[in-house]
Amino acid sequence: MWTFRVRASVAVAILALGSAAAAGVVATTQSSDEQALQPTRQPADRSVESKVNRLLAQMTLEEKLEQIQLLPDFMVTEEEVRNGLGSVLSVTDPARIRELQRIAVEESRLGIPMLFAFDTIHGFRTIFPIPLGAGASFDPQVAFDDHNYGARESAAVGLKQTYAPMVDVSHEPRWGRIAEAAGEDPYLNAVLAAARVKAIQGRDYSARDKLVASPKHLAAYGEPESGRDYNTTDMSVQRLHNLYLPPFKAAIDAGADTVMCSFNAINGVPGCGNRDLMTRILKGEWRFDGFVESDWTAVSELRACPPKNPDAGECGHGVAEDGPAAAALALNSGVDSEMTSTLIRDFGAQLLAEDRISMRRIDDAVRRILRIKFRAGLFENPYAPFQPAEAEQQMLLPDAVAAARNAASRSMVLLQNEGSVLPFDPSKKTAVIGPLARNQHDMLGPWWGAGRDEDVVTVFDGINEQSPGATYAEGCKLSNTEVPHEDPEGCGSDAGFAEAVAVAQAADQVVLALGETREMSGEANSRSTLDLPGRQEELIRAIGATGKPFALVLFSGRPLALEDVVGDAPAILEAWFPGVQAGPAVADVVFGKVNPGGKLPVSIPYRVGQVPIYYNHEQTGRPCNKNVKWNSQHRDIPSCSPLFVFGHGLSYTTFEVSNLQLSSSTVSKKGSIKASVTVTNTGSRAGDEVAQLYIHDPVASISQPVRRLRGFERVTLNPGETRTVTFTLDRSDFGFYDNRGKFVVEPGQIDVYAGNSSNSDMKRSFTVRR
Ligand code: BGC
């Protein structure tokens, strides 16, 4: 049987990550992030291929077109299942899944099982931190745990596919879906995508606790103009290849067997009508033999607006005249499975008769779907491994909940900590204040899967558990409206501020829990400002005026613009949306049980007008310089940089990253070179540091980013302990894609930077020989 082989070294490295180091000097030879990127794809299994071909030979055209159809639960009819419906999404009730599957297997002519899919984005029932938070952990183990438990819980109800990982690199924090992937860097996204795919699929996704993964959304969905979801993307070829495709490639190399195409158009060509991406690159160059499903109604969105009724909700990109044309374009471009709209199913026979699509292409699409169903073991085991009544017992098991707590605390980023306000002493009286302080709903973040508000331990309860007798005041209420124009922010009144101030005054220290609600990020939730919603900044100032030591704990699905906050809050902890264990994880960090070690996976701007602002930008002819005028800058922003840079994050201890060494001063185009750094805990507490390695190509045929992350390793060190971390750089690191989409390695100097943020200036150089 066709299997994924996770190389032993990779599995060991992933499992060993995060464990505390032994005292003394430890040398790491291959960093864990490099290992997570090792390919695991295996060639197709012949016995599966012959089973697929035998089955395909028995199928009628109607059955083939049904196999291509993917419907949401509310559109599924028993009759369509009997006709051979291919797949169903978003049903999570185990009894309903079992019954639908029974009809498919027992009552359809060929008994082909259906594939049940769901968006397990950061947990199914045990909700982990949002993926942007997991990105901040700089720890593949966190991403791995999230999907390992997410797959186990999903599979328990009968699901066999997940629309994850979401791997859309984004420089656009106004876009609500920046919450769903690992931020602005392709390398970090690639490493975590590979770890997620391995966790979802395991060695063999026919296993009872595994699913097939579906990285999404192909491609460049993370750069919608103005940050408005679904909006147009205009993109140079080099950027597409250098910034947006690498995480997809990493996910495919890790074995991902399905892919979702995107809603957005790139250079006028929508993702689900994009032959170049789906057929030439994914299925051709990358040899992907699984199937591509369209995003929700993305096939019908290829159409033009009906001329007489432009508001009918049927307006689309206008690259296809009508339904049949959209179906032909999607199928011919590489869509194998159509989600929600039904154009390929409805018009397939007509299009075939008119010679606008071929039987060869229909067979190819169906073959790909059946291949995945065989690999998933659905023909032998079409049902969930548990009876419906038992599935509930598989949820929120102690190991999953413990992993969620660990993931949440490892994802938190200490942005500032003036006067070492944090950690707090739990024996003192702690007030927990703010609209997110005693809140279950918002802690789950967007894409909460099958998570339930009542599963969440609030910040107040977590703090009160470790600092008994804690007090609480809400301050104000944020808005949870789903309707974009109706009071989208909330916290518009200061009526509760006096009570909050009184509660702060009666305490020794204050945890101020502010930020966004979960409705403010995720799909179709873009914002035009990155400010703290409503009057929360005033609440910070009111608490500050009490003179009590306080820490601002921020919950958000995006980087917020903190220009007006940094001066008023001495300690700021970015907690993202931490999931079901929000309270315990916040308490762990606030009271110092866990020393924060997360780093920013996105730049935090001063204000929204700087956006897009990202560390991996190209140089300009006139780089920003605040001392002179005629260069690239905003005259009304005090700095050339973001407020907090990519890779930034503090700890309760101090570290030194030093001694950058290269194994050689030159390298051949096909060779490799090692770069090592020494990380020392120079403070008095054990803690985590992320050694980060960046490169820059100062002279190239196209202008290169000023820094590109090419290696990282999160290490845990005791006081005084030192560790050497070694990274290997090869052509995949010092080469780049040009504007023809060709990967080139050019001779010349490469600068290597190492440190603990993207600002690091410790530098060495080597030369790539001719
Ligand atoms: C989203 C996808 C998701 C799909 C199914 C779409 O609206 O863009 O990310 O997988 O719905 O829920």
Side-chain angles (χ1 to χ4, degrees), residues 190-490:
V191 170
L192 298 192
R196 288 182 190 277
V197 169
K198 287 172 183 173
I200 294 165
Q201 297 194 164
R203 291 163 191 271
D204 172 359
Y205 57 78
S206 72
R208 51 194 266 130
D209 55 355
K210 293 296 166 195
L211 316 169
V212 59
S214 190
K216 65 187 185 186
H217 310 79
L218 194 69
Y221 181 40
E223 300 301 343
E225 284 186 0
S226 174
R228 274 193 293 122
D229 207 357
Y230 317 120
N231 203 7
T232 301
T233 305
D234 205 77
M235 168 77 51
S236 68
V237 172
Q238 68 90 3
R239 277 201 175 190
L240 178 67
H241 283 267
N242 289 313
L243 295 176
Y244 301 96
L245 293 183
F248 285 96
K249 178 69 163 61
I252 300 305
D253 286 347
D257 248 359
T258 63
V259 166
M260 187 184 292
C261 55
S262 65
F263 286 126
N264 61 293
I266 307 176
N267 308 337
V269 184
C272 294
N274 199 317
R275 190 179 159 80
D276 205 37
L277 284 177
M278 291 186 285
T279 300
R280 186 178 68 78
I281 296 177
L282 176 67
K283 294 177 179 177
E285 281 178 21
W286 298 354
R287 299 178 180 282
F288 169 79
D289 66 359
F291 71 82
V292 178
E293 73 268 346
S294 74
D295 204 342
W296 183 279
T297 62
V299 174
S300 66
E301 291 172 26
L302 299 172
R303 291 178 299 186
C305 298
K308 288 200 188 114
N309 192 5
D311 296 325
E314 294 173 342
C315 268
H317 290 285
V319 294
E321 194 178 5
D322 53 15
L329 177 60
L331 190 74
N332 291 335
S333 307
V335 169
D336 303 298
S337 173
E338 181 179 354
M339 189 193 293
T340 309
S341 57
T342 58
L343 300 179
I344 300 176
R345 180 198 70 187
D346 296 348
F347 299 113
Q350 174 195 327
L351 291 166
L352 194 61
E354 292 168 0
D355 230 10
R356 292 163 69 187
I357 58 174
S358 68
M359 194 54 146
R360 192 155 168 255
R361 176 66 191 107
I362 293 176
D363 282 351
D364 174 52
V366 175
R367 196 175 271 123
R368 287 169 179 274
I369 295 166
L370 294 177
R371 181 179 293 137
I372 296 327
K373 291 185 173 181
F374 275 109
R375 287 178 184 168
L378 281 171
F379 288 86
E380 298 90 51
N381 295 306
Y383 300 112
F386 300 97
Q387 287 301 320
E390 295 168 355
E392 179 68 18
Q393 294 152 24
Q394 310 309 313
M395 305 300 149
L396 294 163
L397 293 178
D399 55 349
V401 173
R405 177 173 180 167
N406 180 53
S409 62
R410 287 180 79 77
S411 296
M412 292 178 193
V413 184
L414 186 62
L415 296 176
Q416 69 177 12
N417 193 20
E418 279 167 19
S420 298
V421 180
L422 286 176
F424 283 160
D425 176 352
S427 68
K428 292 189 173 166
K429 188 169 168 131
T430 311
V432 192
I433 293 174
L436 299 172
R438 207 169 208 167
N439 176 304
Q440 293 181 299
H441 176 84
D442 294 306
M443 294 298 115
L444 295 179
W447 291 105
W448 54 90
R452 298 180 191 166
D453 293 359
E454 66 261 30
D455 298 337
V456 174
V457 183
T458 68
V459 173
F460 175 79
D461 286 342
I463 295 281
N464 193 42
E465 172 76 27
Q466 294 188 31
S467 179
T471 50
Y472 162 75
E474 188 177 29
C476 63
K477 270 195 198 323
L478 287 167
S479 168
N480 292 107
T481 184
E482 290 280 8
V483 186
H485 56 272
E486 265 177 20
D487 185 22
E489 300 211 322

Side-chain angles (χ1 to χ4, degrees), residues 572-726:
I572 307 178
L573 181 70
E574 173 59 74
W576 316 105
F577 289 114
V580 285
Q581 285 288 293
V586 167
D588 287 345
V589 173
V590 161
F591 295 121
K593 266 195 193 174
V594 170
N595 193 346
K599 300 283 179 177
L600 285 176
V602 280
S603 307
I604 292 197
Y606 280 81
R607 67 185 86 133
V608 73
Q610 277 184 304
V611 164
I613 183 161
Y614 45 95
Y615 89 93
N616 43 0
H617 61 87
E618 292 96 7
Q619 192 65 280
T620 72
R622 296 184 177 194
C624 180
N625 175 350
K626 293 311 290 184
N627 300 320
V628 281
K629 176 165 180 173
W630 306 102
N631 60 64
S632 182
Q633 60 174 300
H634 293 111
R635 61 184 284 144
D636 54 354
I637 290 186
S639 164
C640 291
S641 309
L643 183 57
F644 294 107
V645 300
F646 176 90
H648 166 78
L650 302 175
S651 165
Y652 299 152
T653 185
T654 50
F655 290 96
E656 188 186 50
V657 184
S658 61
N659 198 24
L660 172 59
Q661 305 270 1
L662 299 180
S663 60
S664 166
S665 58
T666 69
V667 65
S668 71
K669 284 186 178 177
K670 291 197 175 146
S672 67
I673 188 164
K674 290 197 189 315
S676 61
V677 285
T678 305
V679 189
T680 305
N681 183 342
T682 52
S684 53
R685 272 175 182 262
D688 287 9
E689 182 56 291
V690 179
Q692 302 170 37
L693 190 89
Y694 297 85
I695 66 168
H696 173 54
D697 183 344
V699 184
S701 54
I702 53 175
S703 183
Q704 291 296 299
V706 295
R707 294 269 198 291
R708 288 199 285 136
L709 182 72
R710 296 311 299 175
F712 63 86
E713 175 111 30
R714 181 167 173 161
V715 294
T716 303
L717 298 174
N718 288 317
E721 190 182 351
T722 287
R723 184 178 303 198
T724 300
V725 180
T726 304

